[in-house]
Amino acid sequence: MAAAMALVRGVRFGSYSIGRSRSLIFNSLQRRGIAACVDPSIGLTDEQKEFQKVAFDFAANEMAPHMAEWDQKEIFPVEAMRKAAQLGFGGIYVNPDVGGSGLSRLDTSIIFEALSTGCVSTTAYISIHNMCAWMIDTFGNNEQREKFCPDLCSMQKFASYCLTEPGSGSDAASLLTSAKLQGDHYILNGSKAFISGGGDTDVYVVMCRTGEKGPKGISCVVVEKGTAGLSFGKKEKKVGWNSQPTRAVIFEDCAVPVTNRLGAEGEGFSIAMKGLNGGRINIASCSLGAAHASVLLARDHMCVRKQFGETLSNSQFLQFKLAEMATKLVASRLLVRQAAVALQEGRPDAVSLCSMAKLFVTDECFAICNQALQIHGGYGYLKDYAVQHGFQNCPGAAQHCLPHLTHPIQFVSSL
């Protein structure tokens, strides 16, 4: 009997503690604003706070006012992105000698999170463009770096990453696009699927098979728009990410100079995976921006929307929901930043942490965006309300269409 009573008291105390914690979080959000607990600048250096502010300002002034139009009309906002490039956001972690900003992976995450509060879809494309520029900068020779990187960093030219195929998503090492050596050119045949920017971009970083089956037979080449034999499928109609076009990229006897190969033959899969390590952090950071904006929109809506004679902010149930959203946001941000530091430092756990960040953060942030929409009720489902943008465009909503960004299984198969 005594043991049973002790258990009951423990359950009651535990419930009280959890409830009290939620109340304290909500009160902090209400009383002291964003700086109370979800402020993304907490723990940053003064320099990081400066470029974070620049990114937040750009998102608020150059992206958010046009976000709905870009989405509805499916506009690829080239000029807006070139303005972002003028701030150094076209090659954030590319070396300065070829036009990049030379910032760290953590700095990059901070910037992408801030930009995503203005337009998740556009920022997601910018993150992919940055990944491609980094791959050329890191694995290209000096001639390749000087040829491609300056125009990519200024966003006078745009890049696309071409790995996924109709028959190979998570199993990226089984790709079939072939590259047969003929003289001083590779002749490419095959197709890539779900390519962000496809058809509108200028530079395609392509993984293709130059040798045996499996990861060791894959090489990486850069294909320029206008190359004979390069064509594109129809523009896909998507649920979200409408400010970036998505098409199949098709190669039919497409002749690419051997001088456009990054690294040696057979190194393409390794190059692709190293690019995706950063890509996972980038996409997770975009999810953070969507979730961050959604938490603030939900909080503000609760303060003005009235039901049963009082604002929603007086509902303990919704107070607890908002507290849980804020907690998931902060926990997700900490994981992303830990992964970014690990990747920058080249730690042995970097690959696992990057995969964990992508897997956990996109799911949790999508849940935050969904809950924010639910708090808005029927209004949340209307295009006039910005909260639907986070729900529609948070990378968590699309991650099953981007399996190579989610699951680390390919690392096991390549050992």
Side-chain angles (χ1 to χ4, degrees):
M1 185 66 178
M5 290 302 294
L7 178 60
V8 170
R9 285 195 297 270
V11 170
R12 286 176 177 169
F13 179 74
S15 298
Y16 169 80
S17 297
I18 293 171
R20 181 61 177 160
S21 295
R22 290 189 178 108
S23 296
L24 288 172
I25 295 168
F26 177 77
N27 290 338
S28 182
L29 282 166
Q30 290 293 94
R31 186 172 60 253
R32 295 169 55 202
I34 184 177
C37 56
V38 298
D39 183 355
S41 69
I42 292 174
L44 303 185
T45 65
D46 290 341
E47 183 181 20
Q48 288 170 334
K49 289 177 182 178
E50 284 297 321
F51 55 66
Q52 182 189 58
K53 182 180 184 303
V54 171
F56 269 126
D57 289 345
F58 185 85
N61 298 323
E62 301 292 342
M63 299 175 82
H66 309 290
M67 171 184 66
E69 181 185 11
W70 295 343
D71 177 66
Q72 292 170 17
K73 296 181 180 179
E74 299 184 2
I75 295 171
F76 191 45
V78 169
E79 293 308 316
M81 290 190 288
R82 285 176 176 160
K83 288 182 181 179
Q86 292 174 8
L87 299 174
F89 300 156
I92 301 173
Y93 50 110
V94 173
N95 284 304
D97 65 316
V98 287
S101 298
L103 297 180
S104 72
R105 299 299 184 134
L106 176 56
D107 301 335
T108 303
S109 173
I110 293 165
I111 290 169
F112 286 146
E113 178 182 354
L115 290 177
S116 289
T117 61
C119 182
V120 185
S121 170
T122 303
T123 305
Y125 170 74
I126 293 174
S127 79
I128 295 168
H129 172 90
N130 270 261
M131 179 177 70
C132 292
W134 174 84
M135 291 170 69
I136 296 173
D137 178 40
T138 302
F139 301 105
N141 55 39
N142 285 335
E143 182 180 347
Q144 292 166 334
R145 293 173 68 244
E146 292 170 1
K147 176 181 179 180
F148 294 112
C149 289
D151 283 344
L152 293 178
C153 290
S154 66
M155 285 189 157
Q156 292 306 305
K157 291 186 177 180
F158 295 91
S160 290
Y161 179 83
C162 300
L163 174 63
T164 301
E165 296 185 359
S168 62
S170 292
D171 186 13
S174 69
L175 65 83
L176 297 176
T177 297
S178 64
K180 304 295 184 183
L181 184 62
Q182 289 187 10
D184 56 358
H185 283 73
Y186 288 110
I187 307 302
L188 272 62
N189 282 283
S191 64
K192 300 293 181 178
F194 307 125
I195 304 305
S196 294
D200 283 45
T201 51
D202 310 284
V203 174
Y204 296 85
V205 180
V206 180
M207 266 46 71
C208 52
R209 188 163 300 284
T210 54
E212 62 189 72
K213 291 183 178 180
K216 295 181 180 179
I218 296 172
S219 299
C220 179
V221 299
V222 178
V223 182
E224 299 174 74
K225 189 175 184 179
T227 301
L230 173 65
S231 62
F232 307 96
K234 67 177 179 65
K235 185 178 179 181
E236 303 290 356
K237 303 294 290 185
K238 307 190 299 294
V239 173
W241 284 23
N242 288 318
S243 69
Q244 49 168 290
T246 301
R247 295 183 178 89
V249 177
I250 303 164
F251 307 98
E252 297 174 299
D253 292 330
C254 180
V256 179
V258 172
T259 53
N260 278 22
R261 187 189 67 224
L262 300 181
E265 278 198 3
E267 293 181 353
F269 189 79
S270 174
I271 292 172
M273 294 302 105
K274 288 176 181 177
L276 285 180
N277 289 336
R280 291 183 175 94
I281 296 173
N282 295 345
I283 291 295
S285 301
C286 292
S287 298
L288 289 175
H292 177 84
S294 295
V295 168
L296 300 186
L297 288 168
R299 180 201 62 184
D300 294 344
H301 181 74
M302 286 171 60
C303 291
V304 297
R305 173 66 170 162
K306 287 187 176 182
Q307 287 289 279
F308 305 104
E310 59 183 9
T311 61
L312 297 182
S313 60
N314 288 327
S315 165
Q316 188 181 61
F317 174 78
L318 293 180
Q319 290 175 8
F320 284 7
K321 285 295 182 182
L322 190 64
E324 290 169 2
M325 292 160 64
T327 302
K328 289 178 179 180
L329 172 60
V330 173
S332 296
R333 183 180 292 132
L334 291 173
L335 178 55
V336 171
R337 292 183 179 180
Q338 182 184 9
V341 171
L343 185 61
Q344 185 68 34
E345 295 176 350
R347 285 167 24 194
D349 60 348
V351 172
S352 296
L353 284 171
C354 291
S355 295
M356 289 176 185
K358 172 61 178 66
L359 179 63
F360 179 82
V361 173
T362 54
D363 275 348
E364 293 302 315
C365 288
F366 178 66
I368 292 169
C369 294
N370 180 39
Q371 187 59 59
L373 185 145
Q374 300 301 329
I375 288 173
H376 279 71
Y379 292 104
Y381 207 64
L382 301 179
K383 288 282 190 178
D384 293 335
Y385 284 73
V387 70
Q388 54 78 32
H389 181 83
F391 172 81
Q392 189 179 21
N393 292 281
C394 181
Q399 69 175 348
H400 296 296
C401 296
L402 300 168
H404 59 270
L405 288 175
T406 308
H407 301 295
I409 191 170
Q410 66 268 24
F411 295 105
V412 178
S413 65
S414 64
L415 293 176

